[in-house]
Amino acid sequence: MRALTSTLATIVLAAGLGLVTASPASAASCPSVAEPTISGAKARWTLSCSNGHLKVYGWVEDTSLDGRSALVDVAPGGDNHWRLVEADGRGERTNFDFSFPGTTTASVKLRLSR
């Protein structure tokens, strides 16, 4: 799993998507919880399923005065409804709560903006 996520992070960075720092993408299914931390950002999210819907909820926090925002990308499996959550400014925490019908998986990633 570590090799796969490491390879995925390398591919994303090589694709030039403007990522300065990225945590490994976590392709997860419900139920699951993650608490990633990178230099300048931290987050916590939970994936849960109920009645054919995936719920992804949690928070992202900017932890540095570096001029970059902390971002969480959420991409549900089998769906093109990608979501982005931003916290901009040291100590700012932004909560999020998304629901996606018809799936039980999502790729969720913590990263920094440029």
Side-chain angles (χ1 to χ4, degrees):
M1 178 70 174
R2 184 177 287 264
L4 175 62
T5 56
S6 198
T7 301
L8 181 57
T10 301
I11 291 168
V12 169
L13 288 172
L17 295 177
L19 305 181
V20 175
T21 304
S23 71
S26 63
S29 59
C30 53
S32 68
V33 176
E35 294 187 51
T37 300
I38 59 175
S39 179
K42 62 183 177 180
R44 183 179 197 283
W45 58 75
T46 300
L47 277 69
S48 65
C49 291
S50 178
N51 299 322
H53 283 72
L54 169 68
K55 186 171 183 174
V56 181
Y57 60 94
W59 52 264
V60 59
E61 184 175 328
D62 188 337
T63 62
S64 181
L65 287 173
D66 58 8
R68 295 178 286 176
S69 299
L71 306 170
V72 168
D73 295 314
V74 181
D79 192 333
N80 292 323
H81 295 101
W82 173 75
R83 302 285 191 273
L84 178 70
V85 183
E86 178 179 20
D88 186 23
R90 184 181 175 134
E92 180 180 327
R93 181 179 284 192
T94 302
N95 294 314
F96 58 91
D97 187 344
F98 303 120
S99 182
F100 303 99
T103 188
T104 59
T105 63
S107 176
V108 187
K109 178 176 44 180
L110 173 63
R111 67 181 176 95
L112 293 176
S113 67
R114 285 189 173 229

